[in-house]
């Protein structure tokens, strides 16, 4: 059985320059369920205290990061590699979006392979030699006149696309079960009764259409029992205030 790291793509940072960006990348990886970071030839050496500070608690990603001097060593074990770049390359390679890349990564992992996404140095991006060994180019639909993304931002978009297919946590999903029609009809009748008493339906020949519009609006709302209870309480309070003023 694959472990957690093997069940998700690896994030490979080629020649990253700033510890802060490495830490920020680790943070967004952790946000979206990625845990395997590989670092090739970090400019300021490793470990880098600034990375741990910037990771906001994603220290497990940094603690277990694999650091290599040679770029090819950072790709060891990967069977499908995407090179993240916004620049056009004179290389005959498929070009995919992050969403397409992550879909392909899922298929690769499901078939027993390993996938990874390579990101280049902050100032210069990936070198042609690094792109050449990738299976495909991953690019994002950025504004061509302002295409440069911060390293951690680029990792974040890719990591999000990996996680986007998963359902929301159960405790986060809205518990919105519509009330049954009897409860909804009761609210409608209550509202119409009080509006009748207040003289709202005028002129009389338009009353039926006005009621139909109100019923249609309330039905579209797909109100819950609690919402209906609240509405009926509000109607009752307004009606009682009107009666006391009479």
């Amino acid at each position: 059985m694959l472990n957690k790291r093997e069940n998700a793509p690896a994030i490979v940072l080629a020649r990253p320059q700033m510890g802060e960006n490495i830490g920020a990348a680790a943070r967004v990886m952790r946000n979206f369920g990625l845990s395997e970071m590989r670092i090739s030839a970090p400019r300021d050496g490793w470990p880098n205290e600034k990375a741990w500070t910037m990771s906001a608690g994603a220290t497990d990603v940094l603690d277990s990061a694999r650091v290599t001097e040679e770029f090819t060593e950072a790709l060891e074990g990967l069977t499908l590699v995407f090179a993240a770049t916004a620049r056009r390359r004179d290389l005959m390679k498929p070009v995919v979006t992050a969403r397409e890349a992550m879909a392909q990564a899922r298929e690769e992992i499901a078939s027993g392979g390993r996938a990874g996404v390579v990101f280049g140095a902050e100032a210069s991006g990936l070198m042609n030699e690094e792109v050449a060994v990738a299976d495909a180019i991953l690019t994002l639909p950025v504004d061509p006149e302002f295409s440069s993304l911060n390293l951690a931002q680029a990792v974040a978009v890719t990591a999000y696309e990996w996680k986007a297919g998963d359902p929301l946590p159960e405790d986060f999903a809205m518990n919105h079960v519509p009330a049954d029609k009897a409860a909804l009809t009761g609210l409608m009748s209550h509202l119409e009764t009080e509006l009748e008493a207040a003289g709202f339906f005028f002129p009389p020949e338009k009353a039926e259409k006005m009621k139909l519009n109100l019923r249609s609006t309330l039905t579209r709302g797909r109100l819950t029992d609690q919402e209906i209870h609240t509405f009926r309480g509000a109607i009752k309070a307004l009606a009682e205030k009107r009666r006391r003023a009479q």
Side-chain angles (χ1 to χ4, degrees):
M1 179 180 293
L2 294 177
N3 62 34
K4 182 179 178 182
R5 291 163 71 87
E6 294 171 335
N7 267 321
I11 297 299
V12 182
L13 306 182
R15 299 168 290 103
Q17 296 170 288
M18 299 177 63
E20 293 90 340
N21 286 333
I22 298 173
R27 177 179 182 176
V28 297
M29 285 174 61
R30 195 71 174 79
N31 288 149
F32 296 108
L34 301 180
S35 60
E36 184 176 6
M37 174 182 281
R38 302 183 181 194
I39 307 171
S40 171
R43 183 191 67 181
D44 296 337
W46 195 260
N48 187 316
E49 182 180 344
K50 293 178 180 178
W52 269 262
T53 301
M54 196 67 180
S55 71
T59 56
D60 54 338
V61 175
L62 297 175
D63 290 340
S64 61
R66 177 178 178 179
V67 183
T68 66
E69 282 302 317
E70 296 296 328
F71 174 68
T72 53
E73 293 177 5
L75 304 183
E76 184 178 348
L78 302 181
T79 58
L80 177 66
V81 173
F82 299 95
T85 179
R87 300 204 314 269
R88 295 178 64 91
R89 309 279 180 157
D90 294 326
L91 298 169
M92 295 297 292
K93 288 187 180 294
V95 179
V96 296
T97 64
R99 184 166 303 176
E100 292 167 336
M102 292 302 95
Q104 292 178 26
R106 287 185 184 278
E107 293 177 0
E108 185 75 8
I109 293 168
S111 65
R114 298 291 314 284
V117 184
V118 183
F119 298 85
E122 293 91 321
S124 57
L126 290 172
M127 298 187 297
N128 284 338
E129 293 80 2
E130 293 163 338
V131 177
V133 298
D135 297 285
I137 290 174
L138 183 161
T139 195
L140 304 175
V142 293
D143 186 334
E145 296 182 2
F146 198 75
S147 60
S148 177
L149 283 176
N150 172 272
L151 174 60
Q153 292 172 333
V155 173
V157 173
T158 303
Y160 166 78
E161 291 295 351
W162 168 256
K163 195 67 172 175
D166 293 350
L168 289 173
E170 291 184 6
D171 59 352
F172 191 84
M174 291 183 63
N175 182 18
H176 190 98
V177 179
D180 63 35
K181 294 301 181 183
L184 183 61
T185 300
L187 169 63
M188 294 171 176
S189 298
H190 186 185
L191 178 60
E192 289 172 4
T193 297
E194 296 302 337
L195 289 175
E196 286 272 15
F200 176 77
F201 297 115
F202 185 85
E205 60 271 20
K206 293 187 177 181
E208 192 59 34
K209 184 174 181 179
M210 294 169 75
K211 291 178 182 179
L212 288 174
N213 285 339
L214 285 171
R215 287 176 176 256
S216 178
T217 300
L218 291 171
T219 300
R220 268 200 318 274
R222 294 181 61 78
L223 303 175
T224 64
D225 284 323
Q226 180 58 53
E227 289 168 337
I228 286 177
H229 180 76
T230 300
F231 266 110
R232 295 196 69 161
I235 295 167
K236 182 178 179 181
L238 290 172
E240 289 179 350
K241 183 176 181 178
R242 175 177 53 80
R243 292 188 183 100
R244 287 196 300 270
Q246 289 177 344

PDB file of all heavy atoms in Angstrom, residues 176-185 187 218-219 221-229:
ATOM      1  N   HIS A 176     -28.312  22.020   5.201  1.00  0.00           N
ATOM      2  CA  HIS A 176     -29.450  22.772   4.690  1.00  0.00           C
ATOM      3  C   HIS A 176     -30.487  21.801   4.117  1.00  0.00           C
ATOM      4  O   HIS A 176     -30.532  21.558   2.916  1.00  0.00           O
ATOM      5  CB  HIS A 176     -28.991  23.757   3.612  1.00  0.00           C
ATOM      6  CG  HIS A 176     -30.053  24.742   3.206  1.00  0.00           C
ATOM      7  ND1 HIS A 176     -30.112  26.015   3.707  1.00  0.00           N
ATOM      8  CD2 HIS A 176     -31.107  24.618   2.364  1.00  0.00           C
ATOM      9  CE1 HIS A 176     -31.155  26.646   3.181  1.00  0.00           C
ATOM     10  NE2 HIS A 176     -31.761  25.822   2.357  1.00  0.00           N
ATOM     11  N   VAL A 177     -31.289  21.236   5.007  1.00  0.00           N
ATOM     12  CA  VAL A 177     -32.349  20.329   4.580  1.00  0.00           C
ATOM     13  C   VAL A 177     -33.643  21.128   4.501  1.00  0.00           C
ATOM     14  O   VAL A 177     -34.117  21.662   5.512  1.00  0.00           O
ATOM     15  CB  VAL A 177     -32.511  19.161   5.574  1.00  0.00           C
ATOM     16  CG1 VAL A 177     -33.643  18.252   5.122  1.00  0.00           C
ATOM     17  CG2 VAL A 177     -31.202  18.399   5.702  1.00  0.00           C
ATOM     18  N   PRO A 178     -34.235  21.258   3.311  1.00  0.00           N
ATOM     19  CA  PRO A 178     -35.450  22.065   3.179  1.00  0.00           C
ATOM     20  C   PRO A 178     -36.590  21.503   4.021  1.00  0.00           C
ATOM     21  O   PRO A 178     -36.710  20.288   4.214  1.00  0.00           O
ATOM     22  CB  PRO A 178     -35.775  21.970   1.679  1.00  0.00           C
ATOM     23  CG  PRO A 178     -34.486  21.587   1.034  1.00  0.00           C
ATOM     24  CD  PRO A 178     -33.777  20.721   2.019  1.00  0.00           C
ATOM     25  N   ALA A 179     -37.409  22.405   4.533  1.00  0.00           N
ATOM     26  CA  ALA A 179     -38.589  21.998   5.295  1.00  0.00           C
ATOM     27  C   ALA A 179     -39.586  21.321   4.366  1.00  0.00           C
ATOM     28  O   ALA A 179     -39.557  21.512   3.144  1.00  0.00           O
ATOM     29  CB  ALA A 179     -39.225  23.217   5.950  1.00  0.00           C
ATOM     30  N   ASP A 180     -40.482  20.520   4.941  1.00  0.00           N
ATOM     31  CA  ASP A 180     -41.486  19.876   4.098  1.00  0.00           C
ATOM     32  C   ASP A 180     -42.533  20.898   3.659  1.00  0.00           C
ATOM     33  O   ASP A 180     -42.616  22.010   4.181  1.00  0.00           O
ATOM     34  CB  ASP A 180     -42.127  18.679   4.812  1.00  0.00           C
ATOM     35  CG  ASP A 180     -42.891  19.069   6.067  1.00  0.00           C
ATOM     36  OD1 ASP A 180     -43.503  20.161   6.103  1.00  0.00           O
ATOM     37  OD2 ASP A 180     -42.892  18.275   7.020  1.00  0.00           O
ATOM     38  N   LYS A 181     -43.353  20.511   2.687  1.00  0.00           N
ATOM     39  CA  LYS A 181     -44.289  21.444   2.083  1.00  0.00           C
ATOM     40  C   LYS A 181     -45.384  21.888   3.049  1.00  0.00           C
ATOM     41  O   LYS A 181     -45.918  22.991   2.928  1.00  0.00           O
ATOM     42  CB  LYS A 181     -44.914  20.815   0.835  1.00  0.00           C
ATOM     43  CG  LYS A 181     -43.913  20.574  -0.297  1.00  0.00           C
ATOM     44  CD  LYS A 181     -43.246  21.877  -0.727  1.00  0.00           C
ATOM     45  CE  LYS A 181     -42.263  21.659  -1.863  1.00  0.00           C
ATOM     46  NZ  LYS A 181     -41.551  22.897  -2.244  1.00  0.00           N
ATOM     47  N   ALA A 182     -45.699  21.040   4.010  1.00  0.00           N
ATOM     48  CA  ALA A 182     -46.725  21.431   4.985  1.00  0.00           C
ATOM     49  C   ALA A 182     -46.254  22.623   5.803  1.00  0.00           C
ATOM     50  O   ALA A 182     -47.018  23.576   6.050  1.00  0.00           O
ATOM     51  CB  ALA A 182     -47.048  20.247   5.906  1.00  0.00           C
ATOM     52  N   ALA A 183     -44.988  22.591   6.233  1.00  0.00           N
ATOM     53  CA  ALA A 183     -44.450  23.707   7.013  1.00  0.00           C
ATOM     54  C   ALA A 183     -44.384  24.969   6.162  1.00  0.00           C
ATOM     55  O   ALA A 183     -44.688  26.072   6.635  1.00  0.00           O
ATOM     56  CB  ALA A 183     -43.064  23.349   7.538  1.00  0.00           C
ATOM     57  N   LEU A 184     -43.981  24.817   4.889  1.00  0.00           N
ATOM     58  CA  LEU A 184     -43.899  25.963   4.001  1.00  0.00           C
ATOM     59  C   LEU A 184     -45.278  26.549   3.729  1.00  0.00           C
ATOM     60  O   LEU A 184     -45.466  27.769   3.731  1.00  0.00           O
ATOM     61  CB  LEU A 184     -43.221  25.551   2.694  1.00  0.00           C
ATOM     62  CG  LEU A 184     -42.991  26.669   1.672  1.00  0.00           C
ATOM     63  CD1 LEU A 184     -42.078  27.748   2.251  1.00  0.00           C
ATOM     64  CD2 LEU A 184     -42.385  26.101   0.389  1.00  0.00           C
ATOM     65  N   THR A 185     -46.248  25.687   3.515  1.00  0.00           N
ATOM     66  CA  THR A 185     -47.617  26.159   3.281  1.00  0.00           C
ATOM     67  C   THR A 185     -48.153  26.892   4.495  1.00  0.00           C
ATOM     68  O   THR A 185     -48.870  27.896   4.385  1.00  0.00           O
ATOM     69  CB  THR A 185     -48.534  24.973   2.930  1.00  0.00           C
ATOM     70  OG1 THR A 185     -48.037  24.328   1.748  1.00  0.00           O
ATOM     71  CG2 THR A 185     -49.956  25.440   2.672  1.00  0.00           C
ATOM     72  N   LEU A 187     -46.415  28.631   6.627  1.00  0.00           N
ATOM     73  CA  LEU A 187     -45.817  29.966   6.619  1.00  0.00           C
ATOM     74  C   LEU A 187     -46.537  30.874   5.626  1.00  0.00           C
ATOM     75  O   LEU A 187     -46.840  32.041   5.932  1.00  0.00           O
ATOM     76  CB  LEU A 187     -44.337  29.856   6.246  1.00  0.00           C
ATOM     77  CG  LEU A 187     -43.621  31.179   5.938  1.00  0.00           C
ATOM     78  CD1 LEU A 187     -43.604  32.092   7.156  1.00  0.00           C
ATOM     79  CD2 LEU A 187     -42.200  30.923   5.437  1.00  0.00           C
ATOM     80  N   LEU A 218     -41.111  32.379  -1.804  1.00  0.00           N
ATOM     81  CA  LEU A 218     -40.803  31.568  -0.627  1.00  0.00           C
ATOM     82  C   LEU A 218     -40.406  30.144  -1.012  1.00  0.00           C
ATOM     83  O   LEU A 218     -39.538  29.537  -0.384  1.00  0.00           O
ATOM     84  CB  LEU A 218     -42.008  31.549   0.318  1.00  0.00           C
ATOM     85  CG  LEU A 218     -42.312  32.880   1.016  1.00  0.00           C
ATOM     86  CD1 LEU A 218     -43.648  32.810   1.751  1.00  0.00           C
ATOM     87  CD2 LEU A 218     -41.191  33.243   1.994  1.00  0.00           C
ATOM     88  N   THR A 219     -41.028  29.617  -2.055  1.00  0.00           N
ATOM     89  CA  THR A 219     -40.691  28.271  -2.501  1.00  0.00           C
ATOM     90  C   THR A 219     -39.271  28.217  -3.053  1.00  0.00           C
ATOM     91  O   THR A 219     -38.521  27.269  -2.797  1.00  0.00           O
ATOM     92  CB  THR A 219     -41.687  27.796  -3.581  1.00  0.00           C
ATOM     93  OG1 THR A 219     -43.007  27.790  -3.023  1.00  0.00           O
ATOM     94  CG2 THR A 219     -41.340  26.402  -4.067  1.00  0.00           C
ATOM     95  N   GLY A 221     -36.772  29.862  -2.146  1.00  0.00           N
ATOM     96  CA  GLY A 221     -35.792  29.965  -1.081  1.00  0.00           C
ATOM     97  C   GLY A 221     -35.419  28.648  -0.440  1.00  0.00           C
ATOM     98  O   GLY A 221     -34.403  28.559   0.243  1.00  0.00           O
ATOM     99  N   ARG A 222     -36.257  27.587  -0.634  1.00  0.00           N
ATOM    100  CA  ARG A 222     -35.996  26.270  -0.038  1.00  0.00           C
ATOM    101  C   ARG A 222     -35.625  26.411   1.442  1.00  0.00           C
ATOM    102  O   ARG A 222     -34.558  25.999   1.901  1.00  0.00           O
ATOM    103  CB  ARG A 222     -34.904  25.526  -0.812  1.00  0.00           C
ATOM    104  CG  ARG A 222     -35.347  25.162  -2.224  1.00  0.00           C
ATOM    105  CD  ARG A 222     -34.270  24.412  -2.990  1.00  0.00           C
ATOM    106  NE  ARG A 222     -33.875  23.147  -2.376  1.00  0.00           N
ATOM    107  CZ  ARG A 222     -34.576  22.012  -2.450  1.00  0.00           C
ATOM    108  NH1 ARG A 222     -35.746  21.989  -3.098  1.00  0.00           N
ATOM    109  NH2 ARG A 222     -34.129  20.907  -1.878  1.00  0.00           N
ATOM    110  N   LEU A 223     -36.520  27.023   2.176  1.00  0.00           N
ATOM    111  CA  LEU A 223     -36.279  27.343   3.583  1.00  0.00           C
ATOM    112  C   LEU A 223     -36.222  26.092   4.447  1.00  0.00           C
ATOM    113  O   LEU A 223     -36.923  25.110   4.190  1.00  0.00           O
ATOM    114  CB  LEU A 223     -37.387  28.270   4.100  1.00  0.00           C
ATOM    115  CG  LEU A 223     -37.561  29.585   3.336  1.00  0.00           C
ATOM    116  CD1 LEU A 223     -38.765  30.353   3.884  1.00  0.00           C
ATOM    117  CD2 LEU A 223     -36.308  30.431   3.427  1.00  0.00           C
ATOM    118  N   THR A 224     -35.397  26.143   5.475  1.00  0.00           N
ATOM    119  CA  THR A 224     -35.335  25.055   6.450  1.00  0.00           C
ATOM    120  C   THR A 224     -36.420  25.257   7.503  1.00  0.00           C
ATOM    121  O   THR A 224     -37.058  26.320   7.580  1.00  0.00           O
ATOM    122  CB  THR A 224     -33.975  25.024   7.145  1.00  0.00           C
ATOM    123  OG1 THR A 224     -33.823  26.238   7.905  1.00  0.00           O
ATOM    124  CG2 THR A 224     -32.837  24.919   6.138  1.00  0.00           C
ATOM    125  N   ASP A 225     -36.614  24.238   8.341  1.00  0.00           N
ATOM    126  CA  ASP A 225     -37.590  24.365   9.436  1.00  0.00           C
ATOM    127  C   ASP A 225     -37.240  25.535  10.345  1.00  0.00           C
ATOM    128  O   ASP A 225     -38.120  26.280  10.786  1.00  0.00           O
ATOM    129  CB  ASP A 225     -37.638  23.064  10.250  1.00  0.00           C
ATOM    130  CG  ASP A 225     -38.408  21.963   9.535  1.00  0.00           C
ATOM    131  OD1 ASP A 225     -39.427  22.274   8.879  1.00  0.00           O
ATOM    132  OD2 ASP A 225     -37.997  20.804   9.627  1.00  0.00           O
ATOM    133  N   GLN A 226     -35.956  25.698  10.642  1.00  0.00           N
ATOM    134  CA  GLN A 226     -35.532  26.784  11.521  1.00  0.00           C
ATOM    135  C   GLN A 226     -35.814  28.141  10.888  1.00  0.00           C
ATOM    136  O   GLN A 226     -36.258  29.086  11.560  1.00  0.00           O
ATOM    137  CB  GLN A 226     -34.038  26.660  11.842  1.00  0.00           C
ATOM    138  CG  GLN A 226     -33.504  27.750  12.765  1.00  0.00           C
ATOM    139  CD  GLN A 226     -34.244  27.791  14.097  1.00  0.00           C
ATOM    140  OE1 GLN A 226     -34.353  26.776  14.765  1.00  0.00           O
ATOM    141  NE2 GLN A 226     -34.739  28.954  14.481  1.00  0.00           N
ATOM    142  N   GLU A 227     -35.569  28.262   9.586  1.00  0.00           N
ATOM    143  CA  GLU A 227     -35.836  29.530   8.904  1.00  0.00           C
ATOM    144  C   GLU A 227     -37.322  29.839   8.874  1.00  0.00           C
ATOM    145  O   GLU A 227     -37.743  30.995   9.060  1.00  0.00           O
ATOM    146  CB  GLU A 227     -35.264  29.468   7.488  1.00  0.00           C
ATOM    147  CG  GLU A 227     -33.735  29.503   7.458  1.00  0.00           C
ATOM    148  CD  GLU A 227     -33.145  29.158   6.111  1.00  0.00           C
ATOM    149  OE1 GLU A 227     -33.822  28.475   5.308  1.00  0.00           O
ATOM    150  OE2 GLU A 227     -32.000  29.557   5.852  1.00  0.00           O
ATOM    151  N   ILE A 228     -38.143  28.816   8.654  1.00  0.00           N
ATOM    152  CA  ILE A 228     -39.592  29.023   8.676  1.00  0.00           C
ATOM    153  C   ILE A 228     -40.045  29.453  10.071  1.00  0.00           C
ATOM    154  O   ILE A 228     -40.867  30.370  10.231  1.00  0.00           O
ATOM    155  CB  ILE A 228     -40.321  27.743   8.227  1.00  0.00           C
ATOM    156  CG1 ILE A 228     -40.179  27.576   6.712  1.00  0.00           C
ATOM    157  CG2 ILE A 228     -41.802  27.771   8.629  1.00  0.00           C
ATOM    158  CD1 ILE A 228     -40.794  26.321   6.159  1.00  0.00           C
ATOM    159  N   HIS A 229     -39.495  28.815  11.096  1.00  0.00           N
ATOM    160  CA  HIS A 229     -39.826  29.186  12.474  1.00  0.00           C
ATOM    161  C   HIS A 229     -39.469  30.647  12.741  1.00  0.00           C
ATOM    162  O   HIS A 229     -40.235  31.390  13.375  1.00  0.00           O
ATOM    163  CB  HIS A 229     -39.074  28.268  13.440  1.00  0.00           C
ATOM    164  CG  HIS A 229     -39.337  28.559  14.877  1.00  0.00           C
ATOM    165  ND1 HIS A 229     -40.504  28.198  15.519  1.00  0.00           N
ATOM    166  CD2 HIS A 229     -38.568  29.204  15.807  1.00  0.00           C
ATOM    167  CE1 HIS A 229     -40.454  28.603  16.776  1.00  0.00           C
ATOM    168  NE2 HIS A 229     -39.288  29.211  16.982  1.00  0.00           N
TER     169      HIS A 229
END
